Amino acid sequence: MKKKKGFMAKAVSMVLALTMALGLCMTSAFADVVTAAADENFTVTFVTDEHVTVDIYYTKDASKNNTENPDETNVTSAIARESETGEADVSGTGQVNFRVNAEDGYEYTVTAEPESNYKNLKGKDDTGVEDVWRVSKMTGDVTVTITSEAEAAAPSEIDETTVWSYLDDGTDPAEGYEARTAWTLDSYDVSSWNSAAGSFGAKNGAIASLGTSGSTDYTPDNLLTQYKEDGSTDIEAYFFHTQVYVEDASAVTQILGSIACDDAATVYINGVKIAGFDDDDITENLQYGGSNAGTPKPGDINVADASVISAAVKTGINEVAVEIHQGRASSSDIYFAMPYLVFSTDEVVADEQTDISISMGSDETERNFTWYAPVSGDGTLYVAKESDLENGVMPSTATAYTVTGTQAGKTGYYSYQTTAADLESDTSYAYQVVNGDIVSDVMTFTTGTEGDFSFAFVGDPQIGAGSTDTDIEGWANTLNVIATEEEFEDVDFMLSAGDQVQTGNNEEQYDGYLNHDTLLSLAVATVIGNHDTNATDAAYSEHFNITNESEEYGTTSAGSDYYYVYNNVLFMVLNSNNTSTAEHQAFMEQAIAETADQDISWKIVTFHHSIYSVASHAVEEAILNRRQEMVPVFEELGIDVVLMGHDHVYCRTYIMDGLNEVTDTSEYDDDSYSSITDPDGILYVTANSASGSKYYSIQTSYEFSYAAVMNQENVPNVSRVDVTDDSFTITTYRTTDMSVVDSFTINRTSEDEDNQGDDADGSTDDNTDGSTDNNTDNNSDSSTGNQTDTVETKADTLAVRRGNAFYFQNSLYDVTASGNTVNYGKSADEVLTGDWDGDGVDTLCVRRGNTFCFQKNSGDTTAYMTVSYGKAADQVLVGDWDNDGCDELCVRRGNTFYFQSEITDTKHASQVSYGKAADEVLSGNWDAEGGDTLCVRRGNAFYFQKNLTDVKAYSVVNYGKASDEALAGDWNGDGCDTLAVRRGNAVLFQKSLTDTSDTYGRVSYGKTTDDICVGVWQ
């Protein structure tokens, strides 16, 4: 009879020997056989090996009820006894009760012979006790042979092929047991449970996808029973078991794994809880609870605590148990998968600081630092100019800021906060944090320049609102956009409008928000969102070192109102979780008074709960009440702009005069409402999600008359804000392709604001983004603005077309149509531009089929000349092909180009084959020598002709992105055409033809949907 002690115990089988000859053979492999002590007694002789011992019970009752204290231990023989009294018995009814003790990791087999000398050999089925056996009704001597062998090893780790036993019938596996978790122990019998490998779940009672996260599709391999007998009420919980083999428990240093669950999970090893996911409220086996997330949430298992590992893991077979809970009785789905679980013996990575954050200081000369460290006591921040590093090492002259840590909500960690002061502008600094023997890498940050500046504006990262891993991925992408895309070059800091995380005390979510390389160098002004303060032990203040924080106004568990000044702009950050308008008003009045001597040029307020939005929160009574109360306060205090979040949708208002929207186009710089000069009112902007963790739909059943622009495409957004003394521009981008969602500019003139420092003619600098580039502006007083090269009056500028209306720039960096506006042709016409008469000014031409209708003057609404040329299917280009000062036409068929000599020609004067039929084509004067030639584009590579008759390129340059719209023009009036690329409504200009960077100059003009033209308009 075979008994397996441990993993995959097999059913006991009795092997009965037929002859004594086998026993004689086996004595050579086992210990010596000991004969009966007295011939008058029937004797059982035990033959064993070194992995097994035998204990004896005299009575049947003792074998069942006194298993810990046998009558004899480690025996080699025993006499038959009467079952009740224990007296020797040779009547033919005697028995021997014995317990087999096998070493861990070994299974054993029991046989008895000769069969004629006894009637029964039974194990647990008769004795009722594991490993206790009985030879009964003996009529002679019997030899019991017990052989052992190493157990078949369980897998050493869990993977996607692991077989799980599972219970999905809605019953409590611990029913009848005292402890709720009795079912998680290795002694629990799961032989009646179902078993399968892979993932488990259900969607509306069937196997179907529960959604995706990145490249992961959550379609279960195995169907769980989702509903109770009524067919509609969800089963509360599901229970899983499997086993893993650990060769040496003392060598295990970490338990590492991953899980995906919907809606809550708890993981046990040998009855010890090692990890939990959204299970904080679970107290019963059959209980609803968890995240109720839309898709299964992935999570990491990482146990490095030696005390937990020691309690949970043993050498040999280990029982892994998982319970999965349904979020509610009406949930649509359930899911469980454990892609891997390993018992690592690798050295644990040394302790290090984590969750490093840089917050705004009281002004541009300060930065506030926070970091977590796994040790208490003092920690030190070292700061030095990067230029003073010595072979990458912090110099001895570095400024040291030492602070004592406070206990953090993250188990075993302490929060350290201090301020680096007296920082110089436009300087790269190095910093390092030290906690005893734990020393961080040397990291860097750069302070901004004085005067004009830019910052990034984001809304609701809310890590954990969706799938935490996916939220982190989306947030990382947005931070990468800020760090690497040219549209965000030289931003000084980031402003986050609240809800950094889903749960205010969840350190895993804060890890996902903070632990990104971009945030090691970028200062952030954070706003307290409702999710940041939704716990009494909110960790917000442990992660962010807030400057000028009020001790009495706007207070909640997470923090209160605060302000900072940056380059003479006052930012007032309100904690709108405190709903006292009176407190917020008192705080703002105090902040304005305290900064009265700082020559404040703009006053910006930011808070979380948007009072002008268009999604689900917009119509809530509490929001409407806030609007009624706060708007008059903002008006009274002269607030210029209010930036908000909370509603996970983009909304930009018209300029608001109190509670009334200003919609009269005459108040704006153009009829697109994209800019305004000297407004009498406030701009309100609500940011969409910056991570994609959650979106709200626009409420189409309501009319939001205050909304100039509202947008919801379920795409993460990020905004760039450019601030000068006389302009405030906010441009919002889709992070997926950097196309523009919206852009709006507030302009000021010297008549409106005495301290704005305008040019002598009252004009503003050409650049709308506050950046410094290499051009010279067109100021009538000859003063120098942001550009340094001479811009001649014959430089090309832009025009945009909507229908048959054309809006012309006056200078290249205008963001409004300050030149002419004219209606010409029909909206269905193709449009060309050129200098048709050699007067140095470009005008329009519309094409209908092969007929071209030319404008004489830029303000004309009718054509002065009509010419037929080429075929209706031809592609048309414009250029001065013969260098006579007048532009002519060229038609393209495949890769062959047919050129006019005069604008009135109806037949071509010359032709050339260049490039490929699939190429995009531009024309321009690339070297200021001779007339215009061709350029073909493939992706972001441009191939330039030297002479019009050339069939091969003389120069190749890579510029922009393949998805950009390409333009050509003489942007600085030097006679040479260069490239520009258009992304949304932003146009980025090349300085010289060999430049591969598009950071020379940039302007946002018109709308993304506009057609764009290039020319000299005056």
Side-chain angles (χ1 to χ4, degrees):
M1 183 170 290
K2 187 174 185 181
K3 174 68 173 67
K4 189 171 187 178
K5 184 175 180 64
F7 176 64
M8 296 290 288
K10 300 178 182 177
V12 176
S13 61
M14 182 183 298
V15 181
L16 301 177
L18 299 178
T19 66
M20 287 295 291
L22 181 59
L24 295 174
C25 294
M26 294 181 69
T27 58
S28 63
F30 299 90
D32 293 338
V33 176
V34 181
T35 60
D39 292 338
E40 66 271 17
N41 294 326
F42 299 146
T43 302
V44 172
T45 301
F46 296 100
V47 180
T48 66
D49 62 20
E50 67 271 24
H51 301 297
V52 173
T53 62
V54 177
D55 301 333
I56 295 297
Y57 303 94
Y58 289 162
T59 67
K60 181 178 180 180
D61 183 66
S63 70
K64 292 183 177 181
N65 301 310
N66 194 24
T67 57
E68 297 302 318
N69 298 292
D71 295 301
E72 296 182 49
T73 60
N74 200 19
V75 302
T76 56
S77 66
I79 64 172
R81 297 178 182 273
E82 201 275 327
S83 65
E84 303 297 333
T85 66
E87 300 294 330
D89 189 324
V90 292
S91 67
T93 62
Q95 60 184 246
V96 172
N97 299 285
F98 62 95
R99 180 174 69 191
V100 178
N101 307 301
E103 292 179 8
D104 284 345
Y106 285 84
E107 61 182 5
Y108 61 87
T109 301
V110 178
T111 59
E113 53 188 34
E115 185 179 2
S116 59
N117 286 359
Y118 68 94
K119 184 175 183 180
N120 297 311
L121 172 65
K122 294 185 178 180
K124 179 181 176 181
D125 291 343
D126 184 51
T127 67
V129 182
E130 195 77 28
D131 296 321
V132 173
W133 298 75
R134 178 176 298 117
V135 179
S136 62
K137 297 185 178 180
M138 292 175 56
T139 57
D141 294 341
V142 177
T143 298
V144 172
T145 302
I146 306 171
T147 60
S148 68
E149 62 181 352
E151 294 177 346
S156 61
E157 62 184 47
I158 290 173
D159 60 24
E160 293 175 340
T161 67
T162 296
V163 174
W164 293 86
S165 298
Y166 64 96
L167 183 66
D168 67 341
D169 61 3
T171 60
D172 184 348
E175 185 176 357
Y177 291 82
E178 183 176 347
R180 179 179 84 82
T181 57
W183 66 274
T184 67
L185 301 173
D186 59 354
S187 59
Y188 189 86
D189 183 7
V190 296
S191 59
S192 64
W193 291 17
N194 298 321
S195 62
S199 57
F200 301 81
K203 176 75 172 180
N204 296 321
I207 286 184
S209 176
L210 278 71
T212 59
S213 174
S215 60
T216 302
D217 176 49
Y218 293 113
T219 299
D221 299 317
N222 303 285
L223 179 65
L224 293 175
T225 303
Q226 183 171 349
Y227 301 118
K228 298 183 179 183
E229 290 183 357
D230 63 10
S232 60
T233 303
D234 285 318
I235 289 174
E236 296 93 336
Y238 302 81
F239 307 91
F240 298 82
H241 261 264
T242 194
Q243 294 174 320
V244 291
Y245 179 79
V246 176
E247 184 174 356
D248 182 2
S250 65
V252 176
T253 56
Q254 274 184 295
I255 306 171
L256 301 170
S258 69
I259 190 172
C261 66
D262 186 322
D263 289 296
T266 308
V267 182
Y268 305 88
I269 296 179
N270 299 320
V272 177
K273 178 179 176 179
I274 65 162
F277 303 89
D278 296 310
D279 67 339
D280 293 343
D281 298 328
I282 301 297
T283 59
E284 303 289 339
N285 283 339
L286 297 182
Q287 176 187 345
Y288 298 111
S291 67
N292 283 307
T295 57
K297 296 177 66 174
D300 293 326
I301 298 171
N302 187 343
V303 182
D305 188 322
S307 62
V308 175
I309 294 173
S310 175
V313 182
K314 64 181 182 180
T315 298
I317 304 302
N318 291 263
E319 197 76 24
V320 179
V322 182
E323 59 183 276
I324 301 294
H325 288 262
Q326 184 66 276
R328 59 189 184 277
S330 59
S331 178
S332 65
D333 48 29
I334 189 74
Y335 190 85
F336 164 64
M338 186 175 284
Y340 78 96
L341 185 77
V342 297
F343 295 79
S344 173
T345 57
D346 295 337
E347 182 179 357
V348 179
V349 177
D351 290 332
E352 61 183 3
Q353 294 94 348
T354 186
D355 291 23
I356 298 172
S357 69
I358 309 175
S359 298
M360 300 300 292
S362 62
D363 60 29
E364 59 274 10
T365 69
E366 294 182 352
R367 293 290 188 274
N368 288 2
F369 287 80
T370 301
W371 70 96
Y372 274 18
V375 292
S376 60
D378 289 344
T380 302
L381 167 72
Y382 291 95
V383 179
K385 291 183 179 180
E386 188 177 15
S387 59
D388 292 338
L389 292 180
E390 300 169 356
N391 295 320
V393 177
M394 193 66 65
S396 59
T397 55
T399 303
Y401 303 90
T402 299
V403 64
T404 301
T406 59
Q407 180 68 57
K410 188 173 186 177
T411 303
Y413 281 81
Y414 295 80
S415 173
Y416 295 82
Q417 297 184 332
T418 189
T419 299
D422 301 320
L423 303 174
E424 299 176 10
S425 64
D426 197 20
T427 302
S428 180
Y429 284 91
Y431 73 97
Q432 186 174 48
V433 290
V434 176
N435 296 86
D437 295 332
I438 306 174
V439 180
S440 77
D441 293 336
V442 175
M443 296 161 282
T444 62
F445 67 93
T446 301
T447 55
T449 60
E450 297 177 355
D452 302 347
F453 69 95
S454 304
F455 65 92
F457 172 51
V458 299
D460 297 79
Q462 205 165 332
I463 306 302
S467 160
T468 298
D469 284 352
T470 304
D471 298 348
I472 294 171
E473 181 181 345
W475 178 231
N477 180 66
T478 297
L479 292 175
N480 186 61
V481 164
I482 295 171
T484 63
E485 293 289 347
E486 58 264 61
E487 288 85 350
F488 286 86
E489 184 179 13
D490 296 331
V491 294
D492 292 46
F493 61 91
M494 181 175 74
L495 172 60
S496 174
D499 279 1
Q500 280 66 228
V501 295
Q502 168 73 9
T503 305
N505 60 357
N506 189 304
E507 292 292 345
E508 179 186 2
Q509 293 171 8
Y510 268 112
D511 290 346
Y513 171 81
L514 285 168
N515 291 328
H516 302 273
D517 289 345
T518 299
L519 296 182
L520 296 176
S521 59
L522 183 66
V524 182
T526 51
V527 176
I528 302 174
N530 56 298
H531 285 272
D532 299 319
T533 191
N534 64 358
T536 56
D537 54 347
Y540 180 90
S541 61
E542 297 170 4
H543 284 290
F544 305 112
N545 184 5
I546 303 302
T547 188
N548 294 328
E549 189 171 24
S550 176
E551 296 181 356
E552 55 181 328
Y553 300 130
T555 302
T556 66
S557 63
S560 56
D561 296 347
Y562 73 97
Y563 75 88
Y564 61 97
V565 175
Y566 198 88
N567 289 5
N568 303 108
V569 175
L570 173 61
F571 292 85
M572 291 176 283
V573 184
L574 309 182
N575 178 9
S576 55
N577 297 284
N578 182 316
T579 59
S580 172
T581 299
E583 287 190 32
H584 296 313
Q585 180 174 358
F587 166 76
M588 289 185 286
E589 290 172 346
Q590 184 181 74
I592 291 170
E594 291 177 358
T595 59
D597 61 348
Q598 297 189 44
D599 195 22
I600 299 300
S601 57
W602 297 85
K603 292 193 285 289
I604 299 173
V605 169
T606 182
F607 55 90
H608 183 63
H609 297 81
S610 174
I611 58 175
Y612 281 113
S613 186
V614 293
S616 56
H617 291 307
V619 294
E620 293 175 356
E621 183 177 359
I623 295 296
L624 299 177
N625 290 338
R626 289 175 193 252
R627 183 192 304 166
Q628 294 293 323
E629 293 178 2
M630 298 185 76
V631 166
V633 174
F634 296 151
E635 290 285 327
E636 178 183 343
L637 298 179
I639 305 304
D640 298 296
V641 178
V642 178
L643 303 174
M644 304 163 292
H646 188 52
D647 219 10
H648 300 253
V649 70
Y650 179 77
C651 176
R652 188 253 297 173
T653 68
Y654 296 99
I655 291 295
M656 299 300 295
D657 183 5
L659 295 167
N660 300 312
E661 58 269 15
V662 178
T663 59
D664 186 348
T665 55
S666 66
E667 297 288 337
Y668 293 84
D669 297 333
D670 58 48
D671 61 3
S672 65
Y673 298 101
S674 62
S675 70
I676 194 168
T677 301
D678 299 338
D680 185 11
I682 301 172
L683 175 67
Y684 297 83
V685 179
T686 301
N688 203 344
S689 170
S691 67
S693 64
K694 182 167 63 175
Y695 301 104
Y696 293 144
S697 299
I698 294 172
Q699 298 295 295
T700 55
S701 59
Y702 294 88
E703 182 179 353
F704 300 106
S705 59
Y706 49 75
V709 176
M710 48 184 166
N711 179 269
Q712 182 57 280
E713 299 169 308
N714 292 355
V715 171
N717 289 179
V718 58
S719 301
R720 176 189 175 107
V721 180
D722 298 300
V723 186
T724 71
D725 281 345
D726 48 24
S727 67
F728 176 100
T729 298
I730 179 167
T731 303
T732 300
Y733 298 88
R734 302 171 182 87
T735 63
T736 50
D737 60 4
M738 295 309 296
S739 59
V740 174
V741 174
D742 179 41
S743 185
F744 188 80
T745 299
I746 302 173
N747 295 305
R748 284 177 171 167
T749 63
S750 57
E751 289 81 4
D752 181 65
E753 195 72 35
D754 291 335
N755 65 350
Q756 299 308 307
D758 289 301
D759 302 323
D761 62 353
S763 65
T764 60
D765 289 339
D766 285 343
N767 284 355
T768 62
D769 60 357
S771 63
T772 301
D773 46 41
N774 297 324
N775 294 333
T776 300
D777 60 19
N778 294 332
N779 300 335
S780 59
D781 61 353
S782 300
S783 62
T784 303
N786 287 340
Q787 298 136 318
T788 58
D789 288 346
T790 300
V791 179
E792 298 179 1
T793 57
K794 295 300 183 181
D796 284 323
T797 58
L798 305 175
V800 293
R801 176 202 189 194
R802 296 169 196 161
N804 76 331
F806 296 82
Y807 301 86
F808 299 92
Q809 279 183 321
N810 192 41
S811 62
L812 188 58
Y813 295 98
D814 284 349
V815 295
T816 61
S818 55
N820 292 333
T821 300
V822 68
N823 293 86
Y824 186 69
K826 300 177 181 179
S827 59
D829 293 336
E830 180 182 347
V831 178
L832 307 169
T833 62
D835 181 4
W836 314 119
D837 57 9
D839 65 355
V841 176
D842 291 319
T843 57
L844 303 174
C845 168
V846 294
R847 178 195 186 195
R848 298 167 187 166
N850 75 332
T851 301
F852 299 83
C853 307
F854 298 92
Q855 209 186 29
K856 177 69 173 176
N857 302 303
S858 59
D860 293 348
T861 58
T862 59
Y864 85 101
M865 178 176 63
T866 301
V867 172
S868 295
Y869 184 66
K871 300 177 181 180
D874 292 337
Q875 181 182 347
V876 181
L877 302 171
V878 173
D880 182 4
W881 313 121
D882 54 8
N883 197 28
D884 65 355
C886 294
D887 286 327
E888 298 90 25
L889 303 177
C890 166
V891 294
R892 178 197 188 195
R893 298 166 191 166
N895 75 331
T896 302
F897 298 82
Y898 301 88
F899 302 96
Q900 279 183 325
S901 177
E902 302 289 341
I903 194 63
T904 55
D905 290 349
T906 58
K907 294 184 178 181
H908 68 275
S910 61
Q911 69 183 67
V912 68
S913 294
Y914 186 66
K916 300 177 180 180
D919 292 336
E920 181 182 343
V921 183
L922 302 172
S923 62
N925 189 341
W926 312 120
D927 57 8
E929 298 177 2
D932 291 331
T933 59
L934 303 175
C935 166
V936 295
R937 177 197 190 192
R938 297 167 189 166
N940 76 331
F942 295 81
Y943 299 79
F944 299 93
Q945 253 188 345
K946 176 71 170 176
N947 302 301
L948 197 60
T949 56
D950 292 347
V951 296
K952 292 185 178 180
Y954 85 100
S955 176
V956 180
V957 67
N958 290 88
Y959 185 66
K961 302 177 181 179
S963 58
D964 293 335
E965 180 181 353
L967 307 172
D970 181 2
W971 312 120
N972 58 8
D974 66 354
C976 286
D977 288 323
T978 56
L979 301 174
V981 291
R982 184 187 188 208
R983 296 170 189 165
N985 77 331
V987 181
L988 301 93
F989 304 99
Q990 214 184 23
K991 183 180 181 183
S992 65
L993 200 60
T994 57
D995 287 348
T996 58
S997 170
D998 49 20
T999 58
Y1000 160 63
R1002 156 177 167 266
V1003 68
S1004 294
Y1005 187 64
K1007 300 179 179 179
T1008 303
T1009 54
D1010 293 336
D1011 294 326
I1012 196 161
C1013 307
V1014 175
V1016 176
W1017 313 122
Q1018 56 184 359

